[in-house]
Amino acid sequence: MAYEYLGDTDGDGNFNYKITFQTFLDCNSPFWGATFPENILDIGVYEGVANPSGSLPQIAVVQLFLVDSSSIVPIATNGCNIGETVCLYQATYEAEVDLPISFAGYHLFYDRCCRTGAVINLINAGSQGLSFHAFIPPTLVNNSSPVFSDVPVPFLCAGDTTSILNTAIDPDGDLLIFSFVDPYKGFGTSANPSPVLPGTLTWPIPTVNWLNTSYNQNNPFGGTGHAFMDGATGLTDYMAPSLGNFSVAVEIREFRF
């Protein structure tokens, strides 16, 4: 999820932002083509400081519209066959939102269930939701978020260390810090896969339940796997010890001095 500060485009004294959201879908899903990809997604806007200590009030619900979609084709790799049974689709949604001045800032939040059940580093992955979050600082700080510049490479050769550069560009030239985090689980469930966005956003956002204690945000492949990230550049090394689907989350924080 990303946003771009546009200025006061309609002359009403408020602050206009373009929100862009990219989601990656399993097109082997039984719901593919009938339900997904959706034409419209809802994003909640909540007011609050960057590190809140309580619930955040909802300011608006923004409808984002599907503007682009494409399949992700595995890059051929010598020595192993990757992605042969995987069908992955990228969908891009956009909308513009008009926000009043805020000395606290705004949180953007998307919530949905469920993850593909093929994920092996989470407990009952097919019953766990996923959500995404971005923070807009106080509006007098005219800011656009960093944006990943490349389509993520979702395929690794099992047992082989692979380097991936999480390339991101910040249009304001802010300092970027990359890190692994626990993926957000959100509030959706298999019984309620498309929950109504909450009127107040409970903080912190719930995170996933890992399969066991050998898995965590810094060890998404377990104790015999490997994951390392250079916080300054986003250069990441991964080694998955076995075949399977794994959940990994990368967060970018930006700083201005």
mmCIF file with all atom_site columns, all heavy atoms in Angstrom, residues 123-137:
data_model
loop_
_atom_site.group_PDB
_atom_site.id
_atom_site.type_symbol
_atom_site.label_atom_id
_atom_site.label_alt_id
_atom_site.label_comp_id
_atom_site.label_asym_id
_atom_site.label_entity_id
_atom_site.label_seq_id
_atom_site.pdbx_PDB_ins_code
_atom_site.Cartn_x
_atom_site.Cartn_y
_atom_site.Cartn_z
_atom_site.occupancy
_atom_site.B_iso_or_equiv
_atom_site.pdbx_formal_charge
_atom_site.auth_seq_id
_atom_site.auth_comp_id
_atom_site.auth_asym_id
_atom_site.auth_atom_id
_atom_site.pdbx_PDB_model_num
ATOM 1   N N   . ILE A 1 123 ? 0.034  -21.583 11.374 1.00 0.00 ? 123 ILE A N   1
ATOM 2   C CA  . ILE A 1 123 ? -0.983 -22.533 11.830 1.00 0.00 ? 123 ILE A CA  1
ATOM 3   C C   . ILE A 1 123 ? -2.271 -22.275 11.061 1.00 0.00 ? 123 ILE A C   1
ATOM 4   O O   . ILE A 1 123 ? -2.773 -21.142 11.027 1.00 0.00 ? 123 ILE A O   1
ATOM 5   C CB  . ILE A 1 123 ? -1.241 -22.372 13.340 1.00 0.00 ? 123 ILE A CB  1
ATOM 6   C CG1 . ILE A 1 123 ? 0.009  -22.711 14.157 1.00 0.00 ? 123 ILE A CG1 1
ATOM 7   C CG2 . ILE A 1 123 ? -2.402 -23.265 13.785 1.00 0.00 ? 123 ILE A CG2 1
ATOM 8   C CD1 . ILE A 1 123 ? -0.153 -22.455 15.639 1.00 0.00 ? 123 ILE A CD1 1
ATOM 9   N N   . ASN A 1 124 ? -2.810 -23.321 10.432 1.00 0.00 ? 124 ASN A N   1
ATOM 10  C CA  . ASN A 1 124 ? -4.081 -23.202 9.717  1.00 0.00 ? 124 ASN A CA  1
ATOM 11  C C   . ASN A 1 124 ? -4.108 -21.931 8.863  1.00 0.00 ? 124 ASN A C   1
ATOM 12  O O   . ASN A 1 124 ? -4.990 -21.074 9.007  1.00 0.00 ? 124 ASN A O   1
ATOM 13  C CB  . ASN A 1 124 ? -5.256 -23.197 10.703 1.00 0.00 ? 124 ASN A CB  1
ATOM 14  C CG  . ASN A 1 124 ? -5.355 -24.486 11.482 1.00 0.00 ? 124 ASN A CG  1
ATOM 15  O OD1 . ASN A 1 124 ? -5.102 -25.562 10.956 1.00 0.00 ? 124 ASN A OD1 1
ATOM 16  N ND2 . ASN A 1 124 ? -5.721 -24.380 12.760 1.00 0.00 ? 124 ASN A ND2 1
ATOM 17  N N   . ALA A 1 125 ? -3.133 -21.827 7.973  1.00 0.00 ? 125 ALA A N   1
ATOM 18  C CA  . ALA A 1 125 ? -2.970 -20.604 7.182  1.00 0.00 ? 125 ALA A CA  1
ATOM 19  C C   . ALA A 1 125 ? -4.233 -20.237 6.415  1.00 0.00 ? 125 ALA A C   1
ATOM 20  O O   . ALA A 1 125 ? -4.548 -19.052 6.250  1.00 0.00 ? 125 ALA A O   1
ATOM 21  C CB  . ALA A 1 125 ? -1.801 -20.756 6.215  1.00 0.00 ? 125 ALA A CB  1
ATOM 22  N N   . GLY A 1 126 ? -4.973 -21.230 5.954  1.00 0.00 ? 126 GLY A N   1
ATOM 23  C CA  . GLY A 1 126 ? -6.180 -20.955 5.188  1.00 0.00 ? 126 GLY A CA  1
ATOM 24  C C   . GLY A 1 126 ? -7.298 -20.339 6.005  1.00 0.00 ? 126 GLY A C   1
ATOM 25  O O   . GLY A 1 126 ? -8.315 -19.931 5.441  1.00 0.00 ? 126 GLY A O   1
ATOM 26  N N   . SER A 1 127 ? -7.100 -20.245 7.325  1.00 0.00 ? 127 SER A N   1
ATOM 27  C CA  . SER A 1 127 ? -8.092 -19.597 8.198  1.00 0.00 ? 127 SER A CA  1
ATOM 28  C C   . SER A 1 127 ? -7.576 -18.276 8.760  1.00 0.00 ? 127 SER A C   1
ATOM 29  O O   . SER A 1 127 ? -8.255 -17.647 9.572  1.00 0.00 ? 127 SER A O   1
ATOM 30  C CB  . SER A 1 127 ? -8.463 -20.537 9.354  1.00 0.00 ? 127 SER A CB  1
ATOM 31  O OG  . SER A 1 127 ? -9.067 -21.714 8.885  1.00 0.00 ? 127 SER A OG  1
ATOM 32  N N   . GLN A 1 128 ? -6.364 -17.889 8.353  1.00 0.00 ? 128 GLN A N   1
ATOM 33  C CA  . GLN A 1 128 ? -5.793 -16.634 8.846  1.00 0.00 ? 128 GLN A CA  1
ATOM 34  C C   . GLN A 1 128 ? -5.923 -15.549 7.780  1.00 0.00 ? 128 GLN A C   1
ATOM 35  O O   . GLN A 1 128 ? -5.649 -15.783 6.601  1.00 0.00 ? 128 GLN A O   1
ATOM 36  C CB  . GLN A 1 128 ? -4.323 -16.818 9.226  1.00 0.00 ? 128 GLN A CB  1
ATOM 37  C CG  . GLN A 1 128 ? -4.102 -17.740 10.420 1.00 0.00 ? 128 GLN A CG  1
ATOM 38  C CD  . GLN A 1 128 ? -2.741 -17.530 11.049 1.00 0.00 ? 128 GLN A CD  1
ATOM 39  O OE1 . GLN A 1 128 ? -2.335 -16.398 11.339 1.00 0.00 ? 128 GLN A OE1 1
ATOM 40  N NE2 . GLN A 1 128 ? -2.020 -18.616 11.273 1.00 0.00 ? 128 GLN A NE2 1
ATOM 41  N N   . GLY A 1 129 ? -6.320 -14.373 8.221  1.00 0.00 ? 129 GLY A N   1
ATOM 42  C CA  . GLY A 1 129 ? -6.487 -13.253 7.302  1.00 0.00 ? 129 GLY A CA  1
ATOM 43  C C   . GLY A 1 129 ? -5.163 -12.562 7.005  1.00 0.00 ? 129 GLY A C   1
ATOM 44  O O   . GLY A 1 129 ? -4.098 -12.965 7.467  1.00 0.00 ? 129 GLY A O   1
ATOM 45  N N   . LEU A 1 130 ? -5.249 -11.505 6.218  1.00 0.00 ? 130 LEU A N   1
ATOM 46  C CA  . LEU A 1 130 ? -4.090 -10.669 5.946  1.00 0.00 ? 130 LEU A CA  1
ATOM 47  C C   . LEU A 1 130 ? -4.566 -9.229  5.828  1.00 0.00 ? 130 LEU A C   1
ATOM 48  O O   . LEU A 1 130 ? -5.660 -8.954  5.326  1.00 0.00 ? 130 LEU A O   1
ATOM 49  C CB  . LEU A 1 130 ? -3.347 -11.099 4.686  1.00 0.00 ? 130 LEU A CB  1
ATOM 50  C CG  . LEU A 1 130 ? -4.017 -10.957 3.329  1.00 0.00 ? 130 LEU A CG  1
ATOM 51  C CD1 . LEU A 1 130 ? -2.964 -11.071 2.227  1.00 0.00 ? 130 LEU A CD1 1
ATOM 52  C CD2 . LEU A 1 130 ? -5.086 -12.016 3.093  1.00 0.00 ? 130 LEU A CD2 1
ATOM 53  N N   . SER A 1 131 ? -3.766 -8.325  6.347  1.00 0.00 ? 131 SER A N   1
ATOM 54  C CA  . SER A 1 131 ? -4.120 -6.915  6.261  1.00 0.00 ? 131 SER A CA  1
ATOM 55  C C   . SER A 1 131 ? -2.860 -6.107  5.985  1.00 0.00 ? 131 SER A C   1
ATOM 56  O O   . SER A 1 131 ? -1.737 -6.589  6.172  1.00 0.00 ? 131 SER A O   1
ATOM 57  C CB  . SER A 1 131 ? -4.824 -6.438  7.540  1.00 0.00 ? 131 SER A CB  1
ATOM 58  O OG  . SER A 1 131 ? -4.010 -6.630  8.670  1.00 0.00 ? 131 SER A OG  1
ATOM 59  N N   . PHE A 1 132 ? -3.075 -4.870  5.538  1.00 0.00 ? 132 PHE A N   1
ATOM 60  C CA  . PHE A 1 132 ? -1.969 -3.994  5.153  1.00 0.00 ? 132 PHE A CA  1
ATOM 61  C C   . PHE A 1 132 ? -2.194 -2.616  5.756  1.00 0.00 ? 132 PHE A C   1
ATOM 62  O O   . PHE A 1 132 ? -3.336 -2.184  5.950  1.00 0.00 ? 132 PHE A O   1
ATOM 63  C CB  . PHE A 1 132 ? -1.867 -3.910  3.625  1.00 0.00 ? 132 PHE A CB  1
ATOM 64  C CG  . PHE A 1 132 ? -1.542 -5.229  2.984  1.00 0.00 ? 132 PHE A CG  1
ATOM 65  C CD1 . PHE A 1 132 ? -2.541 -6.131  2.661  1.00 0.00 ? 132 PHE A CD1 1
ATOM 66  C CD2 . PHE A 1 132 ? -0.228 -5.588  2.725  1.00 0.00 ? 132 PHE A CD2 1
ATOM 67  C CE1 . PHE A 1 132 ? -2.245 -7.358  2.091  1.00 0.00 ? 132 PHE A CE1 1
ATOM 68  C CE2 . PHE A 1 132 ? 0.081  -6.809  2.155  1.00 0.00 ? 132 PHE A CE2 1
ATOM 69  C CZ  . PHE A 1 132 ? -0.928 -7.695  1.835  1.00 0.00 ? 132 PHE A CZ  1
ATOM 70  N N   . HIS A 1 133 ? -1.084 -1.927  6.031  1.00 0.00 ? 133 HIS A N   1
ATOM 71  C CA  . HIS A 1 133 ? -1.156 -0.666  6.762  1.00 0.00 ? 133 HIS A CA  1
ATOM 72  C C   . HIS A 1 133 ? -0.122 0.307   6.208  1.00 0.00 ? 133 HIS A C   1
ATOM 73  O O   . HIS A 1 133 ? 0.988  -0.082  5.823  1.00 0.00 ? 133 HIS A O   1
ATOM 74  C CB  . HIS A 1 133 ? -0.887 -0.929  8.250  1.00 0.00 ? 133 HIS A CB  1
ATOM 75  C CG  . HIS A 1 133 ? -0.588 0.303   9.043  1.00 0.00 ? 133 HIS A CG  1
ATOM 76  N ND1 . HIS A 1 133 ? 0.695  0.762   9.286  1.00 0.00 ? 133 HIS A ND1 1
ATOM 77  C CD2 . HIS A 1 133 ? -1.428 1.198   9.630  1.00 0.00 ? 133 HIS A CD2 1
ATOM 78  C CE1 . HIS A 1 133 ? 0.639  1.861   10.003 1.00 0.00 ? 133 HIS A CE1 1
ATOM 79  N NE2 . HIS A 1 133 ? -0.634 2.155   10.225 1.00 0.00 ? 133 HIS A NE2 1
ATOM 80  N N   . ALA A 1 134 ? -0.495 1.578   6.162  1.00 0.00 ? 134 ALA A N   1
ATOM 81  C CA  . ALA A 1 134 ? 0.452  2.650   5.836  1.00 0.00 ? 134 ALA A CA  1
ATOM 82  C C   . ALA A 1 134 ? 0.082  3.867   6.684  1.00 0.00 ? 134 ALA A C   1
ATOM 83  O O   . ALA A 1 134 ? -1.094 4.061   7.040  1.00 0.00 ? 134 ALA A O   1
ATOM 84  C CB  . ALA A 1 134 ? 0.412  3.001   4.354  1.00 0.00 ? 134 ALA A CB  1
ATOM 85  N N   . PHE A 1 135 ? 1.071  4.686   6.995  1.00 0.00 ? 135 PHE A N   1
ATOM 86  C CA  . PHE A 1 135 ? 0.855  5.857   7.858  1.00 0.00 ? 135 PHE A CA  1
ATOM 87  C C   . PHE A 1 135 ? 1.163  7.136   7.102  1.00 0.00 ? 135 PHE A C   1
ATOM 88  O O   . PHE A 1 135 ? 2.222  7.258   6.478  1.00 0.00 ? 135 PHE A O   1
ATOM 89  C CB  . PHE A 1 135 ? 1.731  5.771   9.106  1.00 0.00 ? 135 PHE A CB  1
ATOM 90  C CG  . PHE A 1 135 ? 1.618  6.976   10.003 1.00 0.00 ? 135 PHE A CG  1
ATOM 91  C CD1 . PHE A 1 135 ? 0.440  7.256   10.674 1.00 0.00 ? 135 PHE A CD1 1
ATOM 92  C CD2 . PHE A 1 135 ? 2.693  7.842   10.158 1.00 0.00 ? 135 PHE A CD2 1
ATOM 93  C CE1 . PHE A 1 135 ? 0.323  8.375   11.492 1.00 0.00 ? 135 PHE A CE1 1
ATOM 94  C CE2 . PHE A 1 135 ? 2.602  8.963   10.978 1.00 0.00 ? 135 PHE A CE2 1
ATOM 95  C CZ  . PHE A 1 135 ? 1.413  9.229   11.650 1.00 0.00 ? 135 PHE A CZ  1
ATOM 96  N N   . ILE A 1 136 ? 0.220  8.083   7.159  1.00 0.00 ? 136 ILE A N   1
ATOM 97  C CA  . ILE A 1 136 ? 0.413  9.433   6.620  1.00 0.00 ? 136 ILE A CA  1
ATOM 98  C C   . ILE A 1 136 ? 0.747  10.338  7.794  1.00 0.00 ? 136 ILE A C   1
ATOM 99  O O   . ILE A 1 136 ? -0.045 10.443  8.741  1.00 0.00 ? 136 ILE A O   1
ATOM 100 C CB  . ILE A 1 136 ? -0.861 9.939   5.912  1.00 0.00 ? 136 ILE A CB  1
ATOM 101 C CG1 . ILE A 1 136 ? -1.214 9.034   4.728  1.00 0.00 ? 136 ILE A CG1 1
ATOM 102 C CG2 . ILE A 1 136 ? -0.674 11.383  5.446  1.00 0.00 ? 136 ILE A CG2 1
ATOM 103 C CD1 . ILE A 1 136 ? -2.533 9.412   4.050  1.00 0.00 ? 136 ILE A CD1 1
ATOM 104 N N   . PRO A 1 137 ? 1.899  11.000  7.802  1.00 0.00 ? 137 PRO A N   1
ATOM 105 C CA  . PRO A 1 137 ? 2.250  11.859  8.940  1.00 0.00 ? 137 PRO A CA  1
ATOM 106 C C   . PRO A 1 137 ? 1.353  13.097  8.985  1.00 0.00 ? 137 PRO A C   1
ATOM 107 O O   . PRO A 1 137 ? 0.540  13.318  8.082  1.00 0.00 ? 137 PRO A O   1
ATOM 108 C CB  . PRO A 1 137 ? 3.705  12.225  8.649  1.00 0.00 ? 137 PRO A CB  1
ATOM 109 C CG  . PRO A 1 137 ? 3.839  12.131  7.165  1.00 0.00 ? 137 PRO A CG  1
ATOM 110 C CD  . PRO A 1 137 ? 2.927  11.002  6.752  1.00 0.00 ? 137 PRO A CD  1
#
